[in-house]
Amino acid sequence: MGKSAKRPPVQRPLGAQISHMLKSRGVDVIFGIPGVHNVEMYRGIEEAGISHVLARHEQGAGFMADGYARATGKPGVAYVITGPGLCNIMTPMGQAYSDSVPVLVLSSCLDETAARRGQLHQMLDQEAAAATVCDWSHEARSAEAAYALIDRALAEFESQRKRPKHIQTPIALLGANADPAPDVSRAEQNGQAGPPDLIGLEKTLAGASRPLFIFGGGLAQNGGQGVTPNEVFVRDLIRRSGAAAFCSYAGGGLLSPEDPLSFGCYLGRPESARIMAEADLVIAIGTELSECDLWRNELGHQGTLVRVDIDPEVLADEHRAEVTIRADGMAVVQALLDKLPGETAQPKWNVAEIAAAKARWRAETDSERPGIADICDALAEIMPDDAMIFSDMTQFAYVAKEVWDMPRPGHWHHPTGFGTLGYALPAAIGGAVARLGKPTVAIAGDYGFQYTVQELGTAVELGLPLPILLWDNAKLKEIEDSMVESQIAPNAVIAQNPDFLKLAEAYGAFAEEPQNLAALQSAVLKAFQSDRPTLIRMTSDLTG
């Protein structure tokens, strides 16, 4: 008998084929909102075995995808409609770009825009609009192009700096039958890449009298996900080199709070420029040293600056490092450890002076925004080590990022850079979806919380045991302080707040308003055991 004929591929509408393709590439969850323009994208979601999380607004869907990606290291995927749907998710796309988060946004688009006007959801140039807030934005004009662009995005998430991508597909094409996507093709690697070329960095480090490291979020990504947590290597590097170190906000948790050579996350304090000037060697690994890291234009170093990063743009920035190494930061850390002596080195900095500086900076922080540091201490005392926190642009988070010593890296996520309000709640929902059974927390301010408060409905719908810590000072306090500092009479900084407890209950969530720190601790622990989110209102009265 001859060989049986090969069965022809099963054709489906392209929208359905895309969902099947994503599932075959490891995508298990999609965040989004269906509409008449992208309805064909929803045809194959359940059939493919993908879970869909219904957001209440596309901005929420984008932040959920961002939170999911930060929690897992996998791409967060969002489905949105033409026009306003795409515009609404552009804010999360801009945030993901600033913070190097792998978010893939798939949208529909109109079939023809140049020759027709007045169509539903029409924009002048949707593809170009999205391109302003992501790595790239392209239109797929065939099924083959759609598959190729998706695979390109997924491959770049693995091999390059993680940045959001946008792919749009015409409505008619989404509904047209298409062959399935090709099987996953991965080139076989013949052996692993060797260690990065340190170009004598280990000798420079050994010869320095006051070496100083700056560890950034590039080392904290997926912290603790591997066989050996990243923080183990980083802390060992400090111990065996005798160098002191700072962490950027995104690198929080890489250093141990008990390490006498750790300056913690106080890089943004003005006095840290003086510390930089005292070092004869500064090695910055996996950090942009951006305005949002330093809150000044110059690092302040006088000695040699070494930059390690996978992004060539970072290596050629305004800080003009004398030595640049384009490589994965953790690979460089491990390569340095391979060349250092195994025993603990003598500290090359005065540990008493480091402790005094940290105490001084904490006092400064507490003076600038009174009472918050003590609340942070109370929360940190009862917070599980594996808790993942998502914070918003709020004074509470500004203090916490400096004074709260996280036990693990990659477990505090903040909208750095783009600085979007409304990030915390939906991002925490995405993180909680990714970490079912593990503690996840949202921290928001009373004003920013209202940007995405409607996502409480999603959290209740999913039954997430999510504590939402709401810092309520009844105003835009950070902006008021900025106006006063600029000798501007405070204006437009007070808004009428709702009764947040009743609002939460209206959505079906629990609500608490603890009257002291012990009650706050109890409320958080109780929230972790609940079958739905709990809004916990915090005010300055907590500390008297």
Side-chain angles (χ1 to χ4, degrees), residues 364-388:
E364 287 178 6
T365 301
D366 196 39
S367 174
E368 293 164 357
R369 302 176 179 103
I372 296 176
D374 289 340
I375 301 175
C376 290
D377 289 345
L379 290 169
E381 184 179 320
I382 55 93
M383 198 65 64
D385 282 352
D386 62 343
M388 186 169 284

Side-chain angles (χ1 to χ4, degrees), residues 100 166 381 483 487:
S100 302
H166 167 244
E381 184 179 320
M483 287 180 169
Q487 298 184 342

Side-chain angles (χ1 to χ4, degrees), residues 41-83:
M41 295 165 64
Y42 281 76
R43 184 186 295 276
I45 290 180
E46 288 189 10
E47 184 184 56
I50 295 176
S51 299
H52 181 271
V53 175
L54 176 63
R56 288 352 187 217
H57 188 280
E58 287 90 356
Q59 182 170 340
F63 286 144
M64 289 176 197
D66 176 297
Y68 179 91
R70 296 194 200 210
T72 62
K74 297 167 54 179
V77 180
Y79 279 3
V80 297
I81 63 164
T82 317

Side-chain angles (χ1 to χ4, degrees), residues 365-431:
T365 301
D366 196 39
S367 174
E368 293 164 357
R369 302 176 179 103
I372 296 176
D374 289 340
I375 301 175
C376 290
D377 289 345
L379 290 169
E381 184 179 320
I382 55 93
M383 198 65 64
D385 282 352
D386 62 343
M388 186 169 284
I389 299 172
F390 294 83
S391 59
D392 217 322
M393 300 295 288
T394 169
Q395 285 193 326
F396 193 94
Y398 305 154
V399 173
K401 288 193 303 172
E402 291 189 298
V403 306
W404 192 326
D405 285 308
M406 292 293 287
R408 298 181 183 178
H411 280 66
W412 188 300
H413 303 290
H414 184 77
T416 308
F418 212 44
T420 52
L421 285 167
Y423 173 81
L425 174 58
I429 291 171

